[in-house]
Amino acid sequence: METVISHKGNSSVLKEKANKILGVNLQDAKISKSYLSVAFIALLIGGTLGLLQGLNRAGLLELPSWLNYYQVLTAHGLLLVVVFSATFTIGYFYAGMSHTLGGLLPKVRMMVWIGFWLKIIGVVLVVIPVLMNKASVMYTFYPPMAADPMFYFGLVFVVLGVWMACFGGFIQVANWRKNHKGQHLPIFSFFATGVFVLLVGATAFVAVEVIFMIIPWSLGWVDTINVMVARTLFWAFGHTAVNIWYLTAVSAWYVIVPKVIGGKRWSDLLTRIVVIALVIMNITGGFHHQIVDPGISESVKYMHVFMSLAIGFPSLMTAYAMFAVFEKTARKQGGKGLIGWYKKMPWSDVRFLAPFIAMLAFIPAGAGGIAQTTNQLDQVVHNSMWIVGHFHLTLGMSVAMTFFGISYWLVPYLSKRVLTKGMNQFGVVTTVIWTIGMITMSGAMHTVGLLGSPRRTSYSTYFENATALSWDPYLIFLAIGGTLLMVAAIMQVYAVFNLMFFAPKGETEFPIAEVEEGEAKTPYWTERWGVWIVLMIIVVAMAYVIPLTDFIVNAPPGSPPFKTW
């Protein structure tokens, strides 16, 4: 929708009407732009650290004495997995909720701003000990390695910031439902609700771990810590976090991409069922990250494997729905033949190309996840570079590339600017470079992992060991891929800030696809969020109450803090 409105003088009323017509509330846009700016600054810094890490891991770069590999690894993981992903997700969903729910309530705006500054304070507190080499505990940051207490206090502020944003979203949705009784929540805000529920659920685990276990331990108030409980609480968070970013990407696949290609959404009912299924099942399955750990019964591991694999069903539903949309839309536009219809897809439009490649990447990424969830196969790849390659496929391609594609319409929409033909072509080139870089790097990681190269270690020949030396050619490709990714990251960050501040003025649509004409009405039971949250809690209790009770009652010997760097 493009609308031109002329108004003279200082009429704030006309500005307010313009915002409503165009779907842009300037106060709300400022919130989303702030979150997105932090996200892409984190991408730039985290990407730079990732390049240093990759070059060092390949044996091509010796880091200076004041900066070690594990500092770089810790900062790289936290900046990209926590800061980039979380801030983009919040900025993106708040833009959509403002658009679909009629603008944010003043108290919600205040809550989101408080959340923003809590996260900024938290990131600063986390970064200081990392820079001082007092917190090289890696992304997982669980015992027995211990960081400076300031690091953990920073994590608490980050979690509090996330919670403020989530509860602000709940208030906004509750207000809309109060004023629209009996109506279905707009699909974009339905996705936002699911993501915010999962964010609260996931971060609750890590908050308990950090506040009640790690901080007293790191301060010396207690001598030892129950490592089994701490690791379990972390992976209940870590397993869910990855799927939260995935669900965020899925929201764009279902809601945005069909509109970009000129099509309709595939089944409103199926879409809402996918969200509900992912919310109910997502937090469980964390033990599959501990599938080779001792101290966990086989029955518990089997249960979590089943729960992890269950997430594959909504993913398969998504794959069917998306390719059905692509084919149906292409055929309406004149596409012919069994596969010839694909020629009608807008391959030159970065808003489609980036998320489409992201969808394709999830096929091998999901297959790799199944391998890691299978005990016998995980024995081969666990704690190897395979895991790092898998993680970069899921987050670095399926999620990040979807976020990149979103940015080419979301940033102009928020900034009242337009995506030019030249910047679109620039985005296509950026997408291609990122794709080649990620395939090269991730492919090398998967391969060298199968050959035994460990993860979480800096470069070593292990005293010129023949096996370790055989990894070097693959590690060179890792470095080449990392270099290409750095180039693409710089280009992507440039594109975002160009679209935010320098692109031509104009109106950009928030592209939300409509459902097919004549589609059956979606049953109202899909709106029973209280029921879905209760079911989620029941499933979580099934997964964690018994093993956590066992770890506490039959606690292993506690561990004192260790500094291994």
Side-chain angles (χ1 to χ4, degrees):
M1 174 179 63
E2 294 189 5
T3 309
V4 178
I5 297 178
S6 62
H7 54 277
K8 299 178 182 180
N10 56 356
S11 173
S12 59
V13 175
L14 282 178
K15 286 185 178 180
E16 184 177 345
K17 288 182 178 179
N19 289 342
K20 289 181 179 179
I21 293 170
L22 298 170
V24 181
N25 182 299
L26 297 181
Q27 288 178 289
D28 300 346
K30 187 176 181 180
I31 292 172
S32 290
K33 287 194 292 184
S34 298
Y35 273 89
L36 294 177
S37 296
V38 171
F40 283 98
I41 291 170
L43 174 68
L44 184 62
I45 300 172
T48 302
L49 294 171
L51 176 61
L52 294 177
Q53 186 183 339
L55 293 175
N56 177 265
R57 189 68 173 81
L60 300 176
L61 174 69
E62 187 70 31
L63 293 171
S65 58
W66 48 268
L67 183 69
N68 70 62
Y69 178 84
Y70 301 99
Q71 278 178 283
V72 173
L73 192 159
T74 302
H76 170 73
L78 289 172
L79 281 170
L80 295 186
V81 178
V82 176
V83 181
F84 168 68
S85 299
T87 50
F88 186 97
T89 294
I90 293 169
Y92 162 67
F93 276 125
Y94 264 95
M97 286 197 300
S98 172
H99 177 71
T100 60
L101 302 183
L104 302 179
L105 298 170
K107 61 182 176 183
V108 172
R109 285 195 199 105
M110 182 181 68
M111 292 178 70
V112 189
W113 276 121
I114 292 172
F116 176 81
W117 289 110
L118 284 172
K119 283 177 67 68
I120 295 298
I121 292 169
V123 170
V124 171
L125 291 177
V126 166
V127 165
I128 291 172
V130 171
L131 291 176
M132 296 172 66
N133 197 25
K134 293 183 178 181
S136 298
V137 290
M138 300 183 284
Y139 155 66
T140 44
F141 62 78
Y142 48 60
M145 291 194 296
D148 185 273
M150 183 186 295
F151 177 84
Y152 302 115
F153 283 115
L155 292 175
V156 170
F157 276 95
V158 171
V159 170
L160 290 175
V162 170
W163 283 357
M164 287 297 289
C166 291
F167 285 109
F170 297 150
I171 291 171
Q172 185 70 36
V173 168
N175 178 75
W176 187 93
R177 289 169 66 94
K178 178 181 177 182
N179 296 319
H180 298 80
K181 292 186 182 297
Q183 296 183 31
H184 284 283
L185 190 65
I187 189 62
F188 189 95
S189 294
F190 194 89
F191 269 102
T193 304
V195 166
F196 289 162
V197 167
L198 284 174
L199 270 172
V200 172
T203 50
F205 283 96
V206 79
V208 170
E209 177 201 10
V210 171
I211 295 172
F212 297 106
M213 297 182 68
I214 294 183
I215 286 179
W217 175 68
S218 67
L219 288 170
W221 296 351
V222 295
D223 295 329
T224 62
I225 194 170
N226 188 321
V227 174
M228 289 298 295
V229 172
R231 285 173 62 91
T232 299
L233 292 174
F234 176 85
W235 279 119
F237 153 76
H239 168 74
T240 310
V242 176
N243 287 303
I244 288 170
W245 318 140
Y246 165 65
L247 181 55
T248 304
V250 166
S251 73
W253 299 354
Y254 271 106
V255 181
I256 308 300
V257 172
K259 181 69 172 181
V260 169
I261 65 175
K264 302 283 188 179
R265 280 198 289 121
W266 182 270
S267 178
D268 185 70
L269 175 59
L270 179 143
T271 305
R272 293 175 193 265
I273 288 175
V274 165
V275 177
I276 293 166
L278 287 171
V279 167
I280 292 172
M281 297 188 293
N282 232 329
I283 295 178
T284 56
F287 275 116
H288 91 260
H289 290 268
Q290 301 167 257
I291 200 167
V292 301
D293 284 9
I296 306 170
S297 68
E298 285 189 0
S299 59
V300 168
K301 290 181 180 179
Y302 277 126
M303 177 174 65
H304 278 253
V305 165
F306 170 77
M307 290 177 168
S308 297
L309 294 176
I311 299 174
F313 289 100
S315 295
L316 291 172
M317 293 163 68
T318 297
Y320 171 79
M322 293 315 305
F323 280 89
V325 167
F326 296 154
E327 181 175 1
K328 193 169 186 178
T329 302
R331 292 194 184 281
K332 283 184 178 179
Q333 296 171 359
K336 303 291 184 183
L338 182 63
I339 58 174
W341 54 265
Y342 79 91
K343 296 178 183 178
K344 292 293 181 179
M345 291 288 96
W347 301 110
S348 60
D349 188 339
V350 67
R351 301 172 303 164
F352 166 73
L353 180 66
F356 180 82
I357 295 175
M359 293 179 208
L360 290 184
F362 198 72
I363 298 173
I370 292 173
Q372 291 152 218
T373 310
T374 307
N375 184 54
Q376 293 86 341
L377 295 177
D378 192 67
Q379 299 284 343
V380 178
V381 300
H382 196 80
N383 277 334
S384 76
M385 285 293 287
W386 165 286
I387 305 296
V388 188
H390 164 74
F391 197 66
H392 280 83
L393 271 185
T394 52
L395 187 61
M397 283 198 78
S398 294
V399 173
M401 290 189 70
T402 301
F403 289 2
F404 294 172
I406 291 169
S407 70
Y408 286 97
W409 60 261
L410 179 58
V411 174
Y413 163 81
L414 294 169
S415 306
K416 288 186 171 288
R417 298 178 184 274
V418 294
L419 175 65
T420 63
K421 183 178 179 180
M423 185 53 67
N424 177 71
Q425 292 173 339
F426 184 85
V428 169
V429 173
T430 302
T431 299
V432 170
I433 294 174
W434 184 275
T435 301
I436 295 172
M438 193 61 77
I439 290 174
T440 303
M441 186 180 77
S442 179
M445 288 174 168
H446 278 87
T447 304
V448 79
L450 289 175
L451 297 176
S453 180
R455 59 174 169 157
R456 295 173 167 171
T457 61
S458 58
Y459 178 75
S460 174
T461 62
Y462 299 94
F463 303 104
E464 305 301 315
N465 180 275
T467 299
L469 291 174
S470 73
W471 302 332
D472 285 357
Y474 302 99
L475 296 176
I476 296 297
F477 280 99
L478 184 157
I480 292 171
T483 303
L484 290 172
L485 288 171
M486 188 69 240
V487 171
I490 293 170
M491 294 173 68
Q492 179 62 35
V493 173
Y494 166 78
V496 166
F497 287 104
N498 178 278
L499 291 169
M500 193 175 291
F501 298 110
F502 304 108
K505 291 281 188 178
E507 303 302 336
T508 295
E509 179 186 22
F510 196 112
I512 294 182
E514 300 294 332
V515 296
E516 293 279 358
E517 293 85 356
E519 181 177 300
K521 185 178 179 181
T522 302
Y524 195 72
W525 55 258
T526 56
E527 298 293 330
R528 307 297 184 191
W529 276 101
V531 175
W532 313 138
I533 292 172
V534 168
L535 286 174
M536 179 190 79
I537 293 171
I538 291 172
V539 173
V540 169
M542 289 170 55
Y544 285 106
V545 168
I546 292 175
L548 281 173
T549 301
D550 181 53
F551 297 156
I552 294 169
V553 174
N554 302 304
S559 173
F562 285 94
K563 183 179 179 181
T564 58
W565 63 92

